[in-house]
Amino acid sequence: MNVRRWAVSAGVCLAAAACASDRASAPRAGASAPAAGGAAEAPKPPALRLGRSVRPERYAARVSLTPGEREFEGSIDIDLALDEATSVLWLNGTGLTVREAHFEAGGAPVPARAVDGGGEFLGFRPERPIAAGKARLHVEYRGGVSFQGDEGLFTQKEGERWYAMTQFEATYARRVFPCFDEPSFKVPWQLTLEVPEGDAAYANTPQVSEGPARPGRKAVAFAPTKPLPSYLVAFAAGPYDAVEAGRAGQNKVAVRILAPAGKRAQARWAAAVSGQLLERLEAYFGTPYPYEKLDVIAVPMPNSFTAMEHPGLVTFAQNALLAKPEDESVQFQREYSYVAAHEFAHQWFGNLVTAAWWDDVWLNESFATWMEGKIIGPFRPEWSRGVDVIGYRSQALASDVLTSARKVRQPIETSDDIANAFDGITYQKGATVLAMFERSLGEETFKKGVRAFLEKHAWGNATAADFVSALGRAAGRDLGPAFASFLDQTGAPLVSVELNCRGAPSARLRQERFLPVGSAGSAAQTWQVPVCLRYGAGAGEGRSCATLGGAEAEVPLDQGAGCPAWLWPNEAGVGYYRSRPGGELLGRLLRDGGKHLSLPELVAALDDVEALFKGGKLPAGEALAPLPSFKGERRREVTEAVADIVRLLGGPLLPDSSRPNYQRFVRQIFGARQKALGWASTKGEGDDERLLRPVLAELVGDQGGDPEVRAAAAGLVKRWLADPKAAEPGVIGAALRVAASGGDRALFEQLRGAAKRSADRRDRPRLLAALGEFRDPALYRQALELLRGDEFDPRELQPILFAPGSREGRELAYDFVKENFDVLAAKLPAPYVAALPFVASATCDGAREADARAFFASRSTKYPGGPRQLEQALEAMRLCAAYVGAQREGAVAFFKKY
């Protein structure tokens, strides 16, 4: 699954967990037969996990639904294997009203009564115990359909038509089926959907029949699935248009894009590239795509995910899957390709082989995230160039500075732990750790281990130990302790390096936990870190590798080349650690624009500079001094990395008195390149220019306060509002943000009116997000007030809470949340409510911590994943305040010369 993420101003990138958005009522047990012997002691439900003495062997389910209606009807037959006699069978079930239930055992039906298990569990108590052996449970029931959230069975409107679809990861299949809703219960499913005659129906497998049902309705039956856990079962119904995308892969499976009615033309890119991506994955895994078909289906407006990897029926946020021909920017093409590569990779990692429990969900998500770059690199080299993993590394390390961060393999002890499991630690940290060990083992050895793992565990479940064992067998050594040091403890190493050229040259390495200024954690922590050093060796370069297992180590360098003029301690930039070259090493690397470093290494080095500066471990003057040397930089990825540092400086660090100097600095570094790129593409330019144009326009126009850029943005927005073809799709988002940052009430009302009139899934988010960019406090306050009303869907307005770039705006957002928490909680899906404490952390004001804790502790923590998110938000607030306190004076001094 590709989850949506929010980046808080403190610089911590955290995933919005896939969690409940409509709190369904507790299971309502409808009595179908009295218990034998009359009243009896109520059976006690499980605490978190189901037992293993009863297991499913097959499901056959029928669901009757109508898109746009609030209830559905269902029936299910579960073939069971019982290790012992059973007097009550506990399943997962949430918000289901049981109408009738019975067992079939020993050739005879056994009536059963449903037992309320309190929220997540639904019990079935037969009139007499069911003997060990084989049995079947039949249940007829009703359930609810979500209009606000996107968990379980939910319904959304596109235009004037209604659509219904499912999202079961992690624990939402229980909202639609009474079932064994854990990933280790992996068996075939057979689905039949009863839907209105005018709607199409889809599921994981191909349709095998269609016939009349009740008047005006039809029954659509699908082939049995391969063994699946409940969270991967999926279905959808509505007036979809099926766009044929050819056949792909070794088995020539049919590929289709399923678009809402009337949007066939918007599927062009997805239809063109999906098969190609699938075939590249087959080539890596060395085995065919495991399923019978590949449908990619649009979800009008998901809240908690961008896409989900259901076998045969991959769901995708509509604005990431579809684009009008005139709106098909390189940014859109790139986003679809990366997300599709991620979801298609899951067909092997996650679907063919499934994690045994949620503590190993990283096996699914880390691998799919890592595979994005692995596949896109050769598919579109200009989009990747090996820097994808550097981006994953940056996001994960930013999260891992928190003492409240999760482990990659965090023990799952509560439902909150499951909700928290889908975050940047699982996705980005795990992906970087995989890249690091691939670099250490070699690509072919790593691939050999991956293929052996998939072959051994196909159609079953596996654990982290199984995966690491497969890699170890391929490498011929035990990798368990090294992997465990990264998977089973929080945090990340800071590897400091110094040259020792007294005698034979060597590098002195020292590791500790990277903790920023203001952290209450202990730095006394070690990992088994595979470190590869690159350094100058005479007229060439040398390379030395070692495993840093203790706090310190001495690594010999090439003895024949003398003392290296430069040294970089993270070859290819893929090591999951921060690097701190000591003495003059860092200055030597960056002073000349990083000419000794590869592109990924230079991006990683700049990211480390940003982290060391923000962490209080590199003085402002030393961290910022190299930046002007990148003024003429032409490589997009390097320019973006420098821009990230400069953008950080425009946050809460500088006092208002330093803003003019900072703005002049931004214009001096980036102004010439921005003006050369302008607002429109030119003939013959490549994707790099198209991708960089909006980045620099926004940086120079907003952070740099360039009046010409702001005026040009305002003019472009005005023309675009009158004619959508007046601006290229790749730049209009940046133009809206820049224009709004200096905009007046007239522009605010123009954007608000345009958003109200627009039904376009790409234009509306742009317009509504821009309403949060107005720096005028009165206008920003008016944007916040929209969240209280009914003019717009509140889910579309949520970004406004996190948009303000000014101190006053951040404080207004926090006060608004406090004043209106109950209103917001009633309107927004639960993932958004659980994340509201990050509005407080955005203030970067340590003095507010006690107030924020007192306010949110009894509110946001009620939502899945809320307790950990509150702790992370409060810690981020403390760290941000400490960073400002440590670095403000030095930064002010640096900018005085501009």
Side-chain angles (χ1 to χ4, degrees):
M1 179 169 66
N2 192 293
V3 298
R4 298 197 182 279
R5 297 171 176 86
W6 292 270
V8 301
S9 69
V12 182
C13 217
L14 296 167
C19 47
S21 56
D22 281 346
R23 287 231 154 186
S25 59
R28 294 161 288 175
S32 58
E41 182 181 352
K44 185 177 180 180
L48 178 66
R49 301 187 66 173
L50 298 169
R52 294 299 182 271
S53 62
V54 182
R55 298 173 304 282
E57 294 189 329
R58 178 183 177 275
Y59 294 92
R62 183 184 181 101
V63 176
S64 176
L65 65 102
T66 299
E69 291 192 357
R70 294 188 175 274
E71 283 197 333
F72 69 90
E73 295 180 350
S75 65
I76 192 166
D77 290 291
I78 310 175
D79 290 349
L80 304 167
L82 291 79
D83 290 342
E84 58 190 32
T86 300
S87 59
V88 60
L89 170 64
W90 286 108
L91 301 179
N92 294 114
T94 298
L96 304 178
T97 301
V98 175
R99 300 168 61 183
E100 194 273 334
H102 67 264
F103 289 88
E104 295 177 14
V110 182
R113 185 178 67 179
V115 181
D116 186 343
E120 301 294 321
F121 298 99
L122 188 57
F124 293 91
R125 195 169 190 176
E127 280 188 347
R128 55 177 171 79
I130 304 300
K134 304 293 186 181
R136 174 176 293 176
L137 173 66
H138 175 81
V139 186
E140 298 179 9
Y141 58 96
R142 294 194 307 272
V145 178
S146 175
F147 277 64
Q148 183 187 52
D150 56 7
E151 298 86 18
L153 175 58
F154 62 100
T155 189
Q156 294 183 349
K157 198 173 186 181
E158 179 64 16
E160 298 303 315
R161 311 288 290 275
W162 284 96
Y163 298 80
M165 59 229 53
T166 58
Q167 167 63 25
F168 292 160
E169 191 178 40
T171 57
Y172 306 120
R174 64 192 65 179
R175 297 187 177 194
V176 177
F177 310 112
C179 62
F180 295 78
D181 198 14
E182 296 181 19
S184 62
F185 295 111
K186 190 173 180 183
V187 300
W189 288 70
Q190 191 278 314
L191 296 181
T192 299
L193 299 181
E194 183 185 309
V195 299
E197 282 183 347
D199 285 341
Y202 303 95
N204 301 93
T205 53
Q207 177 181 321
V208 294
S209 69
E210 179 178 313
R214 290 173 287 181
R217 301 177 66 79
K218 63 183 179 183
V220 183
F222 299 91
T225 70
K226 298 291 199 302
L228 294 182
S230 54
Y231 82 88
L232 289 176
V233 175
F235 59 85
Y240 285 97
D241 287 344
V243 179
E244 301 294 336
R247 292 183 173 272
Q250 297 179 40
N251 293 334
K252 301 300 179 185
V253 297
V255 181
R256 296 186 299 184
I257 312 301
L258 305 178
K263 299 185 182 296
R264 296 178 58 88
Q266 299 185 26
R268 190 205 73 82
W269 179 254
V273 303
S274 293
Q276 298 177 50
L277 296 172
L278 191 72
E279 289 174 346
R280 289 179 180 274
L281 286 160
E282 283 190 341
Y284 182 86
F285 291 122
T287 183
Y289 170 69
Y291 302 99
E292 301 93 332
K293 68 178 179 72
L294 177 59
D295 289 337
V296 183
I297 189 168
V299 179
M301 191 174 65
N303 309 313
S304 59
F305 66 95
T306 301
M308 178 64 200
E309 66 267 19
H310 314 108
L313 188 66
V314 176
T315 49
F316 238 93
Q318 182 171 304
N319 61 5
L321 174 64
L322 306 177
K324 293 177 293 189
E326 64 272 20
D327 213 9
E328 195 185 281
S329 64
V330 64
Q331 288 87 350
F332 164 78
Q333 293 177 349
R334 194 170 183 243
E335 179 184 10
Y336 175 79
S337 301
Y338 272 90
V339 177
H342 180 109
E343 305 308 329
F344 297 172
H346 272 309
Q347 307 305 313
W348 288 265
F349 254 84
N351 298 3
L352 178 65
V353 179
T354 305
W357 180 235
W358 297 114
D359 55 357
D360 274 328
V361 71
W362 77 278
L363 278 174
N364 304 356
E365 301 300 350
S366 298
F367 200 92
T369 302
W370 174 73
M371 282 300 293
E372 294 174 17
K374 199 76 177 171
I375 296 305
I376 298 301
F379 176 64
R380 286 289 190 278
E382 65 275 19
W383 293 351
S384 175
R385 297 191 185 93
V387 301
D388 299 285
V389 72
I390 311 304
Y392 308 148
R393 170 185 175 273
S394 174
Q395 294 174 45
L397 287 169
S399 296
D400 228 1
V401 300
L402 299 180
T403 58
S404 54
R406 293 174 56 258
K407 304 172 185 176
V408 176
R409 292 195 75 249
Q410 183 73 32
I412 301 296
E413 298 170 348
T414 69
S415 57
D416 280 327
D417 291 332
I418 297 175
N420 290 139
F422 295 84
D423 69 351
I425 296 298
T426 291
Y427 286 72
Q428 282 80 29
K429 180 176 180 177
T432 311
V433 168
L434 291 175
M436 176 174 66
F437 279 102
E438 183 207 28
R439 185 81 184 182
S440 175
L441 300 176
E443 288 189 50
E444 290 304 314
T445 298
F446 190 85
K447 185 196 297 183
K448 179 181 176 183
V450 167
R451 290 181 172 184
F453 169 77
L454 292 173
E455 181 179 0
K456 182 175 181 179
H457 299 284
W459 308 115
N461 297 88
T463 66
D466 296 324
F467 177 67
V468 175
S469 177
L471 292 181
R473 286 192 296 273
R477 65 180 190 268
D478 182 11
L479 299 174
F483 261 96
S485 72
F486 286 92
L487 300 181
D488 295 335
Q489 61 178 341
T490 59
L494 171 62
V495 176
S496 301
V497 58
E498 293 183 356
L499 273 175
N500 178 17
C501 290
R502 293 186 296 273
S506 64
R508 290 177 176 170
L509 305 180
R510 183 168 60 87
Q511 68 163 311
E512 60 185 304
R513 180 173 180 176
F514 178 76
L515 291 172
V517 60
S519 176
S522 170
Q525 198 171 327
T526 60
W527 292 257
Q528 292 195 24
V529 190
V531 176
C532 277
L533 308 152
R534 286 205 313 112
Y535 48 89
E541 67 177 51
R543 177 178 184 267
S544 297
C545 296
T547 296
L548 178 58
E552 297 182 359
E554 192 96 7
V555 180
L557 305 181
D558 185 347
Q559 297 187 29
C563 190
W566 60 272
L567 181 147
W568 169 243
N570 191 351
E571 184 183 43
V574 301
Y576 189 73
Y577 50 87
R578 291 295 186 193
S579 301
R580 181 166 60 183
E584 297 182 358
L585 286 175
L586 182 61
R588 292 178 194 173
L589 284 170
L590 298 180
R591 193 175 297 128
D592 57 2
K595 68 179 183 181
H596 299 296
L597 300 178
S598 69
L599 176 61
E601 288 170 342
L602 180 53
V603 173
L606 290 167
D607 183 56
D608 283 349
V609 166
E610 179 181 348
L612 291 169
F613 169 67
K614 190 173 180 184
K617 300 183 181 302
L618 193 63
E622 191 175 341
L624 305 180
L627 298 185
S629 67
F630 292 95
K631 181 177 180 179
E633 178 61 51
R634 307 299 296 175
R635 290 168 292 181
R636 169 179 59 85
E637 296 87 350
V638 178
T639 301
E640 291 175 342
V642 175
D644 285 342
I645 300 175
V646 173
R647 195 178 291 109
L648 168 69
L649 300 170
L653 177 65
L654 294 173
D656 291 343
S657 59
S658 296
R659 294 289 164 180
N661 305 64
Y662 166 73
Q663 290 180 330
R664 283 190 290 272
F665 174 79
V666 173
R667 296 196 295 267
Q668 285 184 30
I669 301 298
F670 300 105
R673 185 78 195 278
Q674 187 279 322
K675 285 178 172 55
L677 288 173
W679 286 96
S681 59
T682 58
K683 186 177 180 180
E685 74 175 15
D687 285 353
D688 277 343
E689 288 77 13
R690 293 186 178 93
L691 290 167
L692 189 58
R693 179 174 288 111
V695 173
L696 292 187
E698 189 169 353
L699 186 66
V700 176
D702 185 8
Q703 302 279 29
D706 189 305
E708 292 183 12
V709 177
R710 286 188 169 183
L716 187 61
V717 167
K718 184 177 180 179
R719 295 191 298 275
W720 177 76
L721 290 172
D723 177 11
K725 295 181 180 180
E728 295 178 5
V731 302
I732 191 58
L736 282 163
R737 289 187 290 272
V738 172
S741 67
D744 57 14
R745 182 168 296 279
L747 179 61
F748 183 93
E749 294 301 336
Q750 276 186 295
L751 300 185
R752 177 179 177 174
K756 195 169 183 178
R757 292 188 298 272
S758 176
D760 186 89
R761 292 286 178 187
R762 303 185 71 79
D763 288 346
R764 279 172 63 88
R766 294 165 174 156
L767 290 161
L768 292 173
L771 295 179
E773 301 287 346
F774 283 80
R775 300 294 172 85
D776 181 334
L779 294 177
Y780 180 62
R781 192 178 292 110
Q782 189 172 342
L784 289 170
E785 285 296 322
L786 294 174
L787 280 151
R788 289 168 44 86
D790 298 320
E791 188 174 350
F792 299 103
D793 188 320
R795 293 172 292 180
E796 297 178 290
L797 297 169
Q798 182 265 356
I800 290 174
L801 292 169
F802 297 92
S806 68
R807 175 187 56 78
E808 187 173 10
R810 292 188 286 269
E811 292 174 352
L812 284 172
Y814 176 51
D815 291 340
F816 177 83
V817 168
K818 287 181 64 179
E819 293 165 6
N820 298 279
F821 184 90
D822 291 341
V823 173
L824 296 174
K827 287 175 169 286
L828 293 172
Y832 295 2
V833 183
L836 286 177
F838 287 104
V839 176
S841 71
T843 64
C844 196
D845 183 357
R848 291 180 180 264
E849 180 182 350
D851 179 73
R853 181 180 294 279
F855 179 80
F856 288 109
S858 61
R859 293 176 172 87
S860 65
T861 56
K862 296 177 181 178
Y863 295 82
R868 184 182 292 274
Q869 293 211 55
L870 174 58
E871 292 306 315
Q872 292 182 322
L874 295 176
E875 186 177 359
M877 180 189 292
R878 290 195 299 276
L879 296 183
C880 185
Y883 143 71
V884 171
Q887 298 286 30
R888 173 169 282 183
E889 184 178 346
V892 169
F894 175 83
F895 284 112
K896 279 184 177 178
K897 55 183 171 235
Y898 290 95

